[in-house]
Amino acid sequence: PSSPAFIREGTLYIPTAFCSYSGEALDSKTPLLRAMQALNPQALRVLRALGNTTSQLVIPTVGAEQEYFLIDREKYESRLDLKLCGCTLMGARPPKGQELEDLYCGRIRLRVADYMKDLDEQLWALGIPSKTKHNETAPAQHELAPIFETANIACDHNLNMMEVMRITAKRHGLTCLLHEKPFAGINGSGKHNNFSLTTDDGVNFLTPGKSPAENKLFLVTLCALIECVDNYADLLRMAAAVPGNDHRLGGGEAPPAIISIFLGAEYTDMLTSIAKGIRPSLRDPAALNTDVAILPRLEKDNSDRNRTSPFAYTGNKFEFRMLGSSQSVAFINTILSAALADVFARFAQRLEDCDDLETEVAHMVADTIQNHGRILFNGNNYSREWAEEAARRGLPILNTTVEALDVLQNSKNVDLFRRTGVLSEAECHARHEIFMENYVKVVRVEAETMLYMAQRQILPACVKYMGLLSNSLNALEQAGVENQTLRQRLVTLSRQVELLVQRCDHLLESCHGSRNKDLRQRAGFMQEEVRSRMTLLRESCDTLESMVGAEYWPMPTYTDLLHRI
């Protein structure tokens, strides 16, 4: 009832929650609605304790930035890996990737601009408030972002948006790729989840106002989120655990798999000062000085940006930057809402029982910095020093999807969901099993697709090309011409083909070896054994691509896919 029905291509679609006959949630919407339901009364308690008597409803609001790739449809149809897996399982590095950094927010190709215009009009007709569009960092990569909406509606709209993006691309002779890492060696695609809390009468909990150090609601909300993220950093990491994200996180294009919070120097110093009993003083916003008289004076926001941080404060919201582009935003907002409901319940009790609000809020800040300050980090999240420091601080470091999924069974996380009425223990365990099974199936499909392409496409092409080189070499020798370069090339190619066959055999052996294990063991085996052998097989395929004549190579290359739209 809260998410509008819509008509698409003559069919009425009604957003729906799916539950079992005995009431268990079978979808990602029902837990989100439960979490929003749990959050509202506790957030209202905080507002009332702080003197707000007018707001009647508190909702989490979300803006989901969607990154994607567009490639030519005909070339897509010639790549089995793209059709079955949504990503390339092999592909030599093109002469030009994103090295010149000339693509981000640059001129949009005419064919892509036509697609974007058509896409916007279709989304607007469905009530989806698409707003911005631009080129992203990698060639053929783009981004679309809507206006903020209520969390569950934003989730519905994002899922609908992804479907419309794919359909519209096909009509324009293109293919829209939503995989987290469709091409190796260039940036992958994410989905930034911008999160805030808003009341029915327009109060944003995360707006600092002119005097943030005196804004009790802002301070309490910051403290609540810091505690939430520190207590449930493992859950937040798990929310971004999908197979495609293993190739993306920490790769210079997305945050690493270590959760931390970026507040910026100003607000970190503000909280630290309050915790020490020192009256904080935020500097007046600095001016952006261009030294051009006709340009206006622009104030810099006190909250600068840190694009390496997984959870960054960016003005009046927090941006969770770890989600993969193919993911729903439902689970991350379920976790944030449930955790906030839990912390707000305790914070509200403290505020309701205190004699002096200002003193109690200062105590909250002090407690938060002392007990949860370890989660704050404003530096470079990509650095080796931060990984070492995070380990010293005791922050969870979950580098792979399989490791991250296991935390869904941790007692503290199950207790959170059970305490807030969001998920039962059975619903948590069911999701763990489903996510783990999905990981196994995805990796298996990728491995078997890779074997098919290597054995039935690349190997025959290489043998045919070797025959051409051998014939050419024989012809030269019969003419009395000795060509050592050509002979050495043929020898090298022969060795690489032999290595390809060997690595195919090893990967096939690994795929068979994973079957007689329980689900958790299979997932670990897929991650450690199968994927490592896929990496070796890819090395052989990519090496051979760089050696075989272009007209003999059986599939479009990265240059064809990324630069010929």
Side-chain angles (χ1 to χ4, degrees):
S2 65
S3 188
F6 57 92
I7 295 174
R8 200 174 77 200
E9 298 174 349
T11 299
L12 174 65
Y13 291 81
I14 303 175
T16 307
F18 291 91
C19 297
S20 73
Y21 189 74
S22 50
E24 288 89 358
L26 302 178
D27 59 1
S28 57
K29 172 179 284 191
T30 302
L32 175 58
L33 292 173
R34 290 174 182 170
M36 294 168 64
Q37 181 176 275
L39 175 59
N40 177 53
Q42 305 307 329
L44 284 175
R45 285 179 64 196
V46 171
L47 286 175
R48 296 290 183 264
L50 294 175
N52 180 315
T53 60
T54 57
S55 300
Q56 301 299 316
L57 178 69
V58 178
I59 55 172
T61 56
V62 170
E65 305 171 38
Q66 179 69 56
E67 295 176 345
Y68 61 99
F69 280 82
L70 284 178
I71 63 172
D72 184 80
R73 184 80 191 182
E74 185 177 351
K75 297 181 179 67
Y76 163 85
E77 293 287 351
S78 299
R79 294 268 325 203
L80 187 64
D81 48 3
L82 285 174
K83 293 175 68 175
L84 298 186
C85 308
C87 63
T88 56
L89 300 173
M90 54 195 70
R93 182 176 177 176
K96 181 180 185 297
Q98 60 193 58
E99 297 86 355
L100 297 180
E101 300 173 337
D102 56 341
L103 301 164
Y104 186 64
C105 289
R107 182 186 68 81
I108 298 172
R109 293 171 175 174
L110 296 179
R111 188 178 180 188
V112 174
D114 289 342
Y115 162 79
M116 289 179 167
K117 180 176 183 296
D118 188 8
L119 177 62
D120 273 347
E121 291 173 353
Q122 291 189 61
L123 293 176
W124 296 333
L126 294 171
I128 301 173
S130 172
K131 184 180 181 183
T132 66
K133 51 185 178 287
H134 60 83
N135 288 347
E136 258 297 334
T137 304
Q141 188 185 30
H142 314 282
E143 182 179 290
L144 182 157
I147 297 172
F148 276 67
E149 299 180 280
T150 304
N152 65 302
I153 298 176
C155 178
D156 286 351
H157 280 172
N158 180 255
L159 292 172
N160 202 1
M161 176 194 298
M162 290 194 289
E163 184 70 16
V164 174
M165 289 167 72
R166 287 190 287 259
I167 293 171
T168 305
K170 192 170 184 178
R171 290 174 180 155
H172 285 257
L174 299 166
T175 293
C176 175
L177 300 177
L178 295 171
H179 192 278
E180 285 73 28
K181 194 73 171 179
F183 303 100
I186 61 173
N187 278 15
S189 295
K191 182 178 294 178
H192 299 172
N193 186 86
N194 296 279
F195 177 88
S196 188
L197 293 179
T198 309
T199 67
D200 55 340
D201 54 355
V203 177
N204 185 334
F205 281 50
L206 287 169
T207 296
K210 294 183 179 179
S211 302
E214 300 171 4
N215 185 337
K216 297 181 184 65
L217 179 60
F218 177 63
L219 293 175
V220 168
T221 307
L222 276 188
C223 290
L225 276 165
I226 290 170
E227 181 172 335
C228 288
V229 174
D230 186 35
N231 287 343
Y232 301 105
D234 55 348
L235 264 183
L236 296 179
R237 165 65 182 98
M238 187 275 300
V242 290
N245 245 359
D246 281 350
H247 302 295
R248 173 179 164 267
L249 293 180
E253 62 204 79
I258 305 172
I259 297 290
S260 64
I261 293 178
F262 168 83
L263 288 182
E266 292 286 337
Y267 291 126
T268 302
D269 291 345
M270 177 190 74
L271 293 181
T272 304
S273 296
I274 294 173
K276 292 178 179 178
I278 303 170
R279 183 177 180 82
S281 57
L282 288 181
R283 296 190 296 269
D284 291 333
L288 177 65
N289 182 17
T290 62
D291 290 327
V292 179
I294 62 170
L295 294 180
R297 180 183 185 277
L298 300 175
E299 289 188 351
K300 293 181 180 179
D301 195 284
N302 273 331
S303 64
D304 54 337
R305 299 297 302 272
N306 184 336
R307 300 185 68 81
T308 73
S309 176
F311 199 75
Y313 181 70
T314 54
N316 60 358
K317 57 187 172 62
F318 274 92
E319 181 180 14
F320 184 71
R321 304 186 68 247
M322 290 179 72
L323 284 185
S325 52
S326 69
Q327 291 189 263
S328 165
V329 298
F331 205 22
I332 180 61
N333 292 298
T334 298
I335 295 167
L336 287 171
S337 299
L340 270 175
D342 193 53
V343 174
F344 270 162
R346 286 184 278 107
F347 278 21
Q349 193 65 52
R350 288 181 62 172
L351 294 170
E352 290 163 354
D353 294 344
C354 74
D355 296 324
D356 185 295
L357 282 176
E358 188 169 339
T359 301
E360 184 60 32
V361 170
H363 287 163
M364 282 183 174
V365 172
D367 292 344
T368 299
I369 292 299
Q370 178 179 348
N371 298 326
H372 305 287
R374 65 175 186 167
I375 202 70
L376 300 178
F377 179 67
N378 295 329
N380 179 10
N381 287 255
Y382 292 154
S383 70
R384 184 182 62 187
E385 290 77 14
W386 164 237
E388 295 169 352
E389 172 65 20
R392 282 194 293 272
R393 294 185 186 188
L395 299 181
I397 300 176
L398 304 166
N399 290 316
T400 66
T401 289
V402 175
E403 292 175 275
L405 290 178
D406 280 338
V407 308
L408 193 50
Q409 298 197 105
N410 288 358
S411 58
K412 77 172 179 68
N413 297 330
V414 174
D415 288 345
L416 168 70
F417 289 131
R418 187 169 50 197
R419 193 164 56 243
T420 54
V422 172
L423 289 171
S424 67
E425 184 173 359
E427 288 170 325
C428 288
H429 292 324
R431 277 157 179 74
H432 174 263
E433 183 174 336
I434 290 165
F435 295 157
M436 203 68 79
E437 185 178 34
N438 180 70
Y439 179 86
V440 170
K441 289 180 176 179
V442 167
V443 177
R444 179 174 293 282
V445 169
E446 290 178 352
E448 293 184 357
T449 301
M450 192 175 206
L451 281 169
Y452 182 100
M453 295 174 70
Q455 293 175 325
R456 304 187 65 178
Q457 293 180 316
I458 293 177
L459 182 58
C462 292
V463 170
K464 186 175 182 179
Y465 186 66
M466 286 168 61
L468 172 71
L469 292 185
S470 180
N471 291 337
S472 299
L473 190 60
N474 290 336
L476 288 172
E477 288 177 348
Q478 289 175 7
V481 178
E482 183 70 22
N483 192 319
Q484 289 299 328
T485 301
L486 188 59
R487 181 179 296 280
Q488 184 58 46
R489 184 177 182 83
L490 183 59
V491 170
T492 303
L493 186 58
S494 177
R495 288 172 180 166
Q496 287 297 328
V497 168
E498 185 178 347
L499 186 58
L500 174 77
V501 172
Q502 184 182 33
R503 287 175 171 176
C504 283
D505 291 342
H506 290 165
L507 179 55
L508 183 60
E509 179 186 344
S510 294
C511 289
H512 289 319
S514 68
R515 291 174 180 171
N516 298 323
K517 303 177 185 296
D518 66 32
L519 180 58
R520 178 57 180 82
Q521 288 176 327
R522 273 204 310 277
F525 187 84
M526 286 293 191
Q527 170 197 296
E528 296 168 12
E529 183 75 14
V530 174
R531 276 199 155 171
S532 63
R533 292 195 170 181
M534 288 176 66
T535 299
L536 292 174
L537 179 54
R538 175 172 189 146
E539 288 178 4
S540 293
C541 294
D542 294 355
T543 300
L544 287 167
E545 181 184 329
S546 66
M547 299 176 68
V548 173
E551 67 273 22
Y552 288 85
W553 195 248
M555 64 195 72
T557 65
Y558 272 22
T559 297
D560 298 326
L561 294 167
L562 295 170
H563 295 287
R564 293 172 181 168
I565 298 179

